[in-house]
Amino acid sequence: MHTATAEALSNIAFIKYWGNRDQTLRLPSNASLSMNLAGLKTVTTVAFDPSLPGPDALTLNGHPTTGAALARVTRHLDLVRAAAGLSARAVVTSHNTFPSGAGIASSASGFAALTVAAARAAGLALNEVDLSVLARRGSGSASRSIPAGFTEWLAGEQPSGEDSYARTIAPPEHWALTDVIAVLSAAHKATGSTEGHGLADTSPFQAARVADAPRRLSLCRTALLARDFSAFSEIVEEDAVAMHAVMMTSRPPLFYWQPLTIAVIQAVPVWRAEGLPVCFTIDAGPNVHCLTPTEHAPEVERRLRALGVPDVLAAAPGGPARIIA
Ligand code: PMV
């Protein structure tokens, strides 16, 4: 039996990935940029067992899991088995250190950890680029949880997807930013991102969003590398709203915002005008990620709670996906 355990962090995109040019290979319509989130972690053990008769077995946060979640894990393990010339079924045990159902994307950390553990357990010697390419097949944003710190996922040009991977553009210690997450709802999202990506092109705004993405990414990368919070704030908020405009104008439309989402995104620019450096971004859910230089995180949390935000999580820039056992 070949076993390995890996950990990987979730990440928050500053320039969003939304829509694929190839849905099966998860080749994105645009490049994206993100920060790994220290402490928001998935730990996954993969054991390939030739004596296992049946399907792969999956335990998520202590619960034996079948159905769509297992099918997606099996599809991913099949890629690893094909690369390693292996037929053995696997026992996969995975848990998150962040509350599941808090609307914190676990697919990024989950598929990054699964990729690293499965590749090692299968005896594959993959480098960081190979691992990022492979993680991308499980969940696009997982490609960005393979390298450390602040990462950029290149859209790539090859139909094979071999040049569509994420790389570090700055290490975690480059900028002491904290993601203060306003957790607004523990409810599971109605439409998951895999389905959402498939709807992106039904919005008349997606082509414009994608055409303008290189400009936004370049502005964001420059602001990040220069630690220019003012320029960073503007482009991060613009990019998030552009993605949600596409979501809301897809057919069928996707509305992820709740009343408190709006309350927070209206308050944040006011706080910034008052001198508190903070900006917002939002993924495929109602939670608002408030990015701020770390010394201001307690004040951002205090103000979020004063607005009625029930729960707050905070995460600093984090490291790469790695083998831990
Ligand atoms: O990796 P996926 O398919 O869960 O897509 C992630 C999509 C967003 O979180 C909304 C944006 C992003 O770039 O992370």
Side-chain angles (χ1 to χ4, degrees):
M1 187 150 86
H2 301 285
T3 304
T5 301
E7 65 168 44
L9 303 177
S10 182
N11 68 71
I12 181 66
F14 302 152
I15 297 296
K16 304 296 190 187
Y17 151 54
W18 195 247
N20 290 318
R21 59 181 207 277
D22 182 318
Q23 191 79 357
T24 308
L25 291 179
R26 296 185 195 268
L27 294 177
S29 300
N30 64 278
S32 55
L33 198 157
S34 65
M35 172 180 114
N36 286 351
L37 298 173
L40 302 186
K41 184 162 69 183
T42 300
V43 178
T44 300
T45 300
V46 175
F48 286 105
D49 183 352
S51 70
L52 206 68
D56 298 310
L58 174 65
T59 302
L60 279 181
N61 296 316
H63 304 291
T65 304
T66 55
L70 174 62
R72 192 168 169 188
V73 165
T74 289
R75 275 199 301 279
H76 201 59
L77 291 172
D78 284 344
L79 298 175
V80 174
R81 281 188 278 254
L86 210 69
S87 59
R89 300 284 107 190
V91 177
V92 178
T93 312
S94 189
H95 68 268
N96 298 327
T97 63
F98 47 97
S100 62
I104 311 299
S106 57
S107 67
S109 53
F111 279 95
L114 179 67
T115 298
V116 172
R120 172 64 67 93
L124 291 172
L126 301 185
N127 62 26
E128 186 178 277
V129 168
D130 300 330
L131 288 167
S132 180
V133 164
L134 186 55
R136 188 199 79 224
R137 298 287 303 275
S139 170
S141 57
S143 66
R144 299 189 310 242
S145 284
I146 296 289
F150 300 89
T151 80
E152 180 176 339
W153 171 16
L154 310 170
E157 285 167 6
Q158 302 296 332
S160 66
E162 65 192 278
D163 57 351
S164 184
Y165 59 88
R167 62 181 180 202
T168 295
I169 58 166
E173 50 289 355
H174 168 71
W175 200 5
L177 277 184
T178 294
D179 179 8
V180 183
I181 309 167
V183 181
L184 306 185
S185 165
H188 268 284
K189 50 188 173 190
T191 306
S193 42
T194 297
E195 201 183 324
H197 292 297
L199 297 176
D201 284 331
T202 67
S203 164
F205 300 155
Q206 171 71 346
R209 192 195 72 87
V210 169
D212 186 51
R215 180 193 66 91
R216 294 191 307 275
L217 191 127
S218 164
L219 283 173
C220 186
R221 190 201 297 112
T222 302
L224 174 70
L225 294 178
R227 302 184 198 90
D228 177 348
F229 193 82
S230 164
F232 176 79
S233 310
E234 261 179 55
I235 202 65
V236 166
E237 292 184 355
E238 180 184 329
D239 188 85
V241 173
M243 179 181 74
H244 282 270
V246 167
M247 292 163 159
M248 291 175 195
T249 51
S250 295
R251 286 186 296 268
L254 303 175
F255 289 96
Y256 288 110
W257 296 0
Q258 292 180 2
L260 255 182
T261 311
I262 313 249
V264 174
I265 70 177
Q266 288 190 325
V268 163
V270 173
W271 299 342
R272 195 160 66 243
E274 289 168 5
L276 180 66
V278 54
C279 66
F280 68 78
T281 186
I282 313 167
D283 280 344
N287 295 343
V288 186
H289 294 250
C290 297
L291 304 162
T292 187
T294 300
E295 67 267 30
H296 298 288
E299 176 63 12
V300 169
E301 172 167 355
R302 197 188 63 71
R303 293 193 191 197
L304 287 172
R305 290 199 187 273
L307 276 183
V309 169
D311 212 354
V312 172
L313 290 171
R322 61 190 185 102
I323 291 288
I324 55 170

